[in-house]
Amino acid sequence: AKGARAAGRRWFEGAWKLYPGYAKAFAPGRALSPVEGRGWEPACSAAVSSVAGEWFAGRIAEAVRLKDEGVDLFNRGDAVGAASTLQASLDLNPDNISTLVSLGAVCAHGGRFREAIVFYDRGLGLRQEDKALFADLLLSRANTLERLGHFSAADADRKRATSIQGGTADPG
């Protein structure tokens, strides 16, 4: 039993280095015991998964709140505040296409077209199930490419967006 506890402790200490919030998984009152023949890892993994799920859900909720706040700031004319808030949202959830589109729009509005293209390209590189959002992203990039003088690339994005909106193309 003493060796099993030591093994569990080592496993926990390794998990702790990955995410300090894992301590919540091992709070007093949480029943953990080794699984016969498999040791502490299954019990620790289950406890950590539960806490990690809570942590991730909170992180996503905060990212959505920040994205909404950033869009609101932009709509009220605060492009600097919007960019900062949208970047904070993106730091929490780097694969949110809506945030990438919004941040690209803020950059394009401020004349930072190349920076906007980077955000649009990141969004286009992600698998997207929402065809309307994907088409909007293509149109945003097309408008920005046109401002940079890349007319043939802008035209190609517009044609692809139109075919997606018409249901004749897959965004992926």
Side-chain angles (χ1 to χ4, degrees), residues 99-117:
T99 304
L100 289 165
V101 169
S102 298
L103 202 44
V106 169
C107 291
H109 179 77
R112 299 185 330 264
F113 303 118
R114 284 181 177 34
E115 192 177 345
I117 294 293

Side-chain angles (χ1 to χ4, degrees), residues 17-95:
K17 290 176 187 171
L18 295 174
Y19 172 61
Y22 285 158
K24 184 177 175 186
F26 302 94
R30 219 184 247 265
L32 288 179
S33 57
V35 174
E36 190 165 330
R38 295 183 59 208
W40 281 90
E41 189 171 342
C44 292
S45 292
V48 166
S49 293
S50 170
V51 171
E54 293 169 16
W55 172 80
F56 185 72
R59 184 178 173 102
I60 296 302
E62 179 64 6
V64 169
R65 186 193 69 73
L66 287 168
K67 191 229 7 136
D68 291 344
E69 182 182 326
V71 170
D72 186 51
L73 287 168
F74 181 73
N75 289 335
R76 289 189 281 135
D78 183 0
V80 173
S84 174
T85 304
L86 288 167
Q87 185 60 58
S89 173
L90 204 57
D91 291 344
L92 292 172
N93 185 9
D95 293 338

